[in-house]
Amino acid sequence: MIHLSSDIRLTDELERQLMQEAIDEQNRFKPGVALKSLFVKLGKTQKSSSIAPVSRKNVESAA
């Protein structure tokens, strides 16, 4: 990010361009980020399904 000193003023056109570029960048599809998100979700699902179910025998002996 570019930091401008307080004494620099942007023209309306330049400000519009910068805002439009920022919006376009936000809306741009990023396959790497999407794949990472998918794998994180799959990993969480895998971890939650790998938990061993509690058997009746263990529950009765604990009581």
Side-chain angles (χ1 to χ4, degrees), residues 1-2 5-7 13 19-24 27-28 34 42 45-47 51-55 60-61 63:
M1 181 176 197
I2 300 172
S5 63
S6 60
D7 61 339
E13 182 60 29
M19 290 298 289
Q20 188 60 47
E21 287 175 16
I23 291 169
D24 290 344
N27 294 331
R28 185 172 293 130
L42 288 174
T45 304
Q46 192 74 356
K47 285 180 185 177
I51 298 173
V54 177
S55 68
E60 290 172 357
S61 64

Side-chain angles (χ1 to χ4, degrees), residues 23-63:
I23 291 169
D24 290 344
E25 180 63 27
Q26 239 180 359
N27 294 331
R28 185 172 293 130
F29 178 69
K30 298 174 183 129
V33 175
L35 281 173
K36 179 181 176 184
S37 176
L38 175 65
F39 286 124
V40 167
K41 287 178 185 177
L42 288 174
K44 286 180 183 179
T45 304
Q46 192 74 356
K47 285 180 185 177
S48 66
S49 66
S50 66
I51 298 173
V54 177
S55 68
R56 267 186 91 119
K57 184 178 180 181
N58 290 344
V59 173
E60 290 172 357
S61 64

